[in-house]
Structures are given as C-alpha cells and as structure tokens.
Amino acid sequence: VQLVESGGGSVQVGGSLRLSCVASVDTIGRYCMGWFRQIPDKEREGVAGIESDGSTSYADSVKGRFTISRDNTGGMLYLQMNSLRPDDTGIYYCAKARPGYACSLQPAAFGSWGQGTQVTVS
C-alpha cells in the first residue's frame, strides 16, 4: 500500500492547515486509517483515527480542533487542523491499520505509513 501525504507547511499560531493523504479506493474504505505525528527525540503519537464504518477518535490534545475525514470514492484521507498551536509542530504521517487490529491510536496497530509532511506552527 502506498500512502502519500501533502499539505504541510508553516503557519502562525491560531491558523489552519489541511493535510491530505492519497491511498487507494480499496484501502480508504475498508481499513482503519489514522494520522500520527512525531517530533525529534519523542515517540510517534496518534492524532486521529477513522474506522471503516466512519467512526472517529482523537487524541485529547486535538479534540475540538482537528477533524479526520475521508473520501472513499477518491481514495483520500484528510486532516483538517484548526486553532493550531506551537505544540502541534511535527512531522505528520498517515497510516493504514494492520488487518485484524483494533482501530486505536497506537502506532503498533498500523502497518503501512506514508513518508510524512512537516507542519510548523510559530
């Protein structure tokens, strides 16, 4: 599975960004998908996940500010990020869950990853 993120960049505090991830139509609709982020010297952390049935989950730090969504017909995964803060800075990755794994925000549950896109908030 090939996943390709885009949409990262530099933004001021309080600003917004929309991240996109290109996958395949079969992948987006059938599997749990997630967004993760990582900063240097820290472990990768789950940000948001979306189940095959459309239910979503979020890290406490982003609830009310970030929204995960997908376009099944277009094979796209999105992360709308509003009210951005400096601690949102990091490399953001989209990922596909391993078959049979629960749709958690734990990196170990995901087996396919994109290359990442940098988000900088200052």
Side-chain angles (χ1 to χ4, degrees), residues 1-3 21-31 33 71-76 96:
V1 175
Q2 185 173 13
L3 304 173
C21 174
V22 180
S24 69
V25 172
D26 287 347
T27 294
I28 289 293
R30 294 178 56 190
Y31 296 98
M33 301 293 296
D71 173 5
N72 288 353
T73 59
M76 297 292 295
K96 181 185 80 69

Side-chain angles (χ1 to χ4, degrees), residues 4-51:
V4 181
E5 303 95 336
S6 62
S10 296
V11 64
Q12 292 184 335
V13 173
S16 298
L17 283 174
R18 187 193 196 203
L19 305 184
S20 300
C21 174
V22 180
S24 69
V25 172
D26 287 347
T27 294
I28 289 293
R30 294 178 56 190
Y31 296 98
C32 164
M33 301 293 296
W35 285 99
F36 294 77
R37 65 186 179 194
Q38 189 167 21
I39 61 174
D41 300 325
K42 288 205 171 181
E43 293 185 357
R44 194 168 294 187
E45 65 171 348
V47 173
I50 184 166
E51 300 248 20

Side-chain angles (χ1 to χ4, degrees), residues 80-115:
Q80 178 66 43
M81 305 187 294
N82 299 327
S83 302
L84 284 161
R85 311 183 309 212
D87 61 355
D88 294 318
T89 294
I91 300 175
Y92 283 70
Y93 300 88
C94 73
K96 181 185 80 69
R98 302 177 191 273
Y101 277 66
C103 194
S104 71
L105 295 180
Q106 296 301 317
F110 290 76
S112 300
W113 297 84
Q115 85 290 348

